[in-house]
């Protein structure tokens, strides 16, 4: 390997190690954020029955700081539910008689109080139709809107663990390789600057 290239190769591996650590940190922070979100719904949420009154597919377009556009397909369910339900998430045991929204009045302003949207996966969107009902959890004062009860109940932060672990392993591997290359380059450089004397040479 070219002796001049060695230090740069070691630096590249060290940069890769730093990037892997950043990825692990981002995944950890995202896990913490999702866990905090779920914990709030579990602690403060109320349960009600929601009825689908509209379905829509849309495309969400975001622009990065470099001016590039990124499009993401989203699936939205418009539901009618009861944000004033008195049944707390912690008290819900699967009973059938749970609060639902009152009948529509025909007044858009009054009815809008009991309707909101839920973003769902494509699989959930394909499996539902207008008129279907399901259980949702809402936090009245957060403004986040209702979430599917199953999503709140089944959330498991361990789904983030493999990504975090792989990122940390990659960081360790890159760091060790970078350190070994840098150390070997330093030793070779020192040998070239201060060569060992050849036996029998000289006066």
């Amino acid at each position: 390997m070219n002796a001049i290239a060695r230090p740069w190769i070691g630096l590249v591996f060290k940069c890769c190690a730093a990037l892997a650590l950043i990825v692990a940190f981002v995944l950890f922070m995202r896990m913490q954020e999702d866990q905090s979100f779920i914990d709030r719904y579990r602690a403060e949420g109320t349960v009600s029955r929601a009825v689908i009154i509209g379905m829509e597919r849309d495309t969400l377009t975001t622009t990065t700081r470099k001016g590039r556009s990124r499009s993401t397909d989203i699936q939205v369910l418009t539901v009618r539910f009861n944000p004033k339900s008195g049944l707390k998430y912690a008290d819900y045991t699967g009973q059938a008689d749970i609060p639902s929204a009152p009948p529509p009045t025909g007044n858009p302003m009054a009815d809008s109080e009991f309707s909101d949207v839920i973003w769902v996966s494509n699989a959930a969107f394909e499996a539902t139709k207008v008129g279907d009902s399901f259980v949702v959890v809402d936090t009245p004062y957060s403004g986040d809107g209702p979430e599917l009860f199953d999503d709140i109940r089944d959330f498991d932060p361990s789904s983030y663990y493999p990504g975090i672990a792989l990122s940390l392993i990659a960081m360790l591997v890159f760091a060790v390789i970078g350190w070994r290359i840098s150390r070997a380059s330093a030793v070779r450089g020192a040998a070239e600057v201060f060569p060992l004397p050849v036996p029998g040479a000289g006066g």
Side-chain angles (χ1 to χ4, degrees), residues 125-142:
F125 188 88
E126 293 289 348
T128 57
K129 62 183 184 297
V130 173
D132 286 352
S133 66
F134 45 79
V135 180
V136 297
V137 185
D138 182 52
T139 51
Y141 307 108
S142 70

Side-chain angles (χ1 to χ4, degrees), residues 15-197:
C15 289
C16 289
L19 288 175
L21 179 60
I22 291 173
V23 170
F25 178 75
V26 169
L27 290 175
F28 175 77
M29 293 304 296
R30 187 175 297 175
M31 179 187 71
Q32 292 292 93
E33 182 180 2
D34 287 351
Q35 183 69 68
S36 176
F37 177 84
I38 295 297
D39 287 345
R40 187 173 73 251
Y41 270 79
R42 289 174 176 175
E44 305 172 5
T46 58
V47 175
S48 66
R49 185 168 300 281
V51 177
I52 300 176
I53 59 176
M55 303 176 65
E56 183 180 3
R57 291 186 186 273
D58 203 350
T59 301
L60 180 65
T61 302
T62 56
T63 303
T64 65
R65 284 184 289 184
K66 295 183 178 180
R68 298 177 181 175
S69 296
R70 179 182 302 170
S71 298
T72 305
D73 293 331
I74 59 175
Q75 296 75 222
V76 181
L77 303 179
T78 302
V79 299
R80 185 170 173 81
F81 71 110
N82 190 346
K84 299 180 179 180
S85 170
L87 178 58
K88 294 184 178 299
Y89 173 88
D91 298 330
Y92 177 62
T93 58
Q95 60 264 40
D97 55 335
I98 61 178
S100 57
T105 63
N107 182 342
M109 291 296 293
D111 291 339
S112 64
E113 181 182 0
F114 299 96
S115 63
D116 210 326
V117 297
I118 302 177
W119 292 16
V120 297
S121 65
N122 185 64
F125 188 88
E126 293 289 348
T128 57
K129 62 183 184 297
V130 173
D132 286 352
S133 66
F134 45 79
V135 180
V136 297
V137 185
D138 182 52
T139 51
Y141 307 108
S142 70
D144 290 326
E147 293 288 337
L148 301 179
F149 174 84
D150 291 348
D151 290 347
I152 301 299
R153 179 197 60 195
D154 298 338
F155 174 77
D156 184 1
S158 65
S159 61
Y160 284 94
Y161 294 169
I164 294 174
L166 288 175
S167 298
L168 292 176
I169 291 172
M171 178 207 69
L172 181 61
V173 171
F174 286 135
V176 169
I177 294 175
W179 175 78
R180 289 176 66 90
I181 291 176
S182 297
R183 184 172 180 274
S185 178
V187 171
R188 171 173 291 191
E192 291 176 352
V193 175
F194 303 104
L196 294 175

